[in-house]
Amino acid sequence: MKPLELHPQRGFPARSLMDNAAVTSLLSTFPMFLVCPWSLLLNTDMGWSWSNWKMWWSHDPFLQEVVRFSLWCRGITFFMQVAFNQLIPDHNADAFSPPRLGPNTLGDNIVELLFGGLGRWDAEHFLFIAEHGYVYEHNMAFFPLLPLLIGGLAQGPLLPLAGLLRLRSRLLISSAFLNCVCSTLAAVSLYLLGCVTLQSRRSAFLSALLFCMSPVSIFMASTYSESLYVLATFAGLWQLQKHRTICSSAFLSLATAARSNGLVNAGFLLHSTVKEAIQRKNYSGKLLQTIFGIVLIILPFVLFQCFCFVRSCLESDENQQIPQELVQLAIEKGYRVHKTHIPAWCSLRFPLAYSHIQSEYWDVGLFRYFKLQQLPNFLLASPVMILSICTILEYTSSNLELCRTLGLWKVQSKYTNGFYGPHVFVYVAHLAALTGFGFLCMHVQVLTRLLFSSCPVLYWFCSHVIHKNEPWILGLKRGKTVSNPALQLLLAWTSLQQGTRIILAYFFGYWVIGTALHVNFLPWT
């Protein structure tokens, strides 16, 4: 097969269909796919067809390997969580654990055996919301997109299994399937984003493979919103790099509907618009699109807070029937059930349920986590802190003039592509903002999954370091199929540079250890 040439502007193969309607349609229809799974097949307006899909797929062996490797990694994670869940006894953690309503069937027991490890810690909240709704006040810390989607799958395609499986079992299966699909499409999105931003398919390829085996792999498989969020974020950023503001905003809006930190993504649109205004002096049309896009990104957060306010603060004649077991749990644990009384935050000038709940129930706030007993959690987060600081320093030290101008003005630089390229600046700034906020204000152990599910530049930096340390992987044989550099690195472990070993040991170590701890209610949240 003749080697593919790189497109001089877009970083895509010139002969491939990466910039054609087939690929654009596949990820651009994701917002509609969330509403109607059949839209991928019915969306003829986007130019998608089965023949185009097959042609696009056959012309990019890198992408084929990304999909294959992602599915293999998801499968390994699934079997690891089953094994660890059976071999290690569950820790008696002080976590949200609502009662199971109704008797178990044989099918429920089998589902719990195979999928039970995917329903730990925060997953209990998402499953509970999907099954019962926002019954307790502290449930409102979890955004509604994931519960809506897995609820739709459980009550739709899996409804014929209702006689064999109760709703919670169907929700577990739904979330496992959804997160497998989303994490694989997220790896594809990271590859596409890397091709455009880095102008290097090799670097984008290795970055996507590293994402498949990231330290937060268990959260990509569990009933957490990370897979959904990272797909919407990476796809939105890819579309933004291709100057498709409205499509990008639609993806990033979905990210906000999945997690509150999706609000930060509005900064990408703002930076892009200011940069174009300064460099092109023609931004009137772009400005209107950006305003609309920012409103679209913020809208899910605003709507959800309005829902929380109406549900908690306004009098209603609605007679909601809450199962007695859930009422009893509220009495025992001190949970607040909606409408039993009007909470104090309702009378604030800006009555935001989210900030109140994070502060009262999780003690989130500036320096609140800086306690001696939290030292183990700081140690747990130290690798990603070190990796983030190294990423920021490596980029800024090589692009001092670019960083001084905040990446808004064109400056003379010897770097036009790769990790040091000018398009990477905004991602480094995004990483710095999230790292600083997470370290100072959040539960610091959450920092690992926050950064690895939000910041593509972490994967780009690791890919850059590995390519720098191991230049031989650039010469791996390529034909109709490609060699997987991640696997080749493992096979050549004894000859690797120390920096490469540290990165791979961190990724694989946290993948395995994190899975073992998380599925047994041990401190890996």
Side-chain angles (χ1 to χ4, degrees), residues 102-116:
N104 274 0
T105 66
L106 176 61
D108 291 323
N109 292 331
I110 294 174
V111 170
E112 186 64 28
L113 177 71
L114 297 177
F115 296 89

Side-chain angles (χ1 to χ4, degrees), residues 379-507:
L379 294 176
L380 193 67
S382 59
V384 75
M385 285 290 302
I386 294 171
L387 181 62
S388 299
I389 292 171
C390 290
T391 302
I392 296 166
L393 292 179
E394 180 71 16
Y395 186 85
T396 54
S397 62
S398 301
N399 292 277
L400 291 175
E401 184 64 19
L402 180 70
C403 296
R404 188 182 66 81
T405 62
L406 300 180
L408 297 174
W409 283 266
K410 289 182 179 180
V411 297
Q412 293 295 328
S413 173
K414 60 181 179 180
Y415 305 109
T416 58
N417 54 38
F419 172 74
Y420 298 115
H423 296 299
V424 178
F425 169 80
V426 68
Y427 298 97
V428 175
H430 175 246
L431 171 66
L434 287 185
T435 302
F437 177 80
F439 179 73
L440 297 175
C441 301
M442 294 174 56
H443 289 191
V444 74
Q445 70 269 27
V446 178
L447 197 59
T448 303
R449 64 181 169 98
L450 171 71
L451 298 181
F452 275 106
S453 64
S454 305
C455 304
V457 72
L458 284 178
Y459 300 102
W460 296 339
F461 175 69
C462 292
S463 173
H464 164 74
V465 171
I466 292 174
H467 275 130
K468 183 179 178 181
N469 290 343
E470 320 296 339
W472 55 269
I473 66 171
L474 294 173
L476 290 177
K477 183 179 178 181
R478 183 182 68 189
K480 291 186 178 180
T481 59
V482 296
S483 298
N484 187 315
L487 298 179
Q488 296 298 324
L489 287 167
L490 292 178
L491 294 175
W493 180 267
T494 55
S495 62
L496 298 180
Q497 297 292 324
Q498 185 178 9
T500 305
R501 289 188 187 182
I502 291 174
I503 291 174
L504 294 179
Y506 172 48
F507 274 61

Side-chain angles (χ1 to χ4, degrees), residues 34 114 219 243 273 336 392:
L34 294 180
L114 297 177
F219 298 110
H243 306 290
T273 301
R336 293 178 185 170
I392 296 166

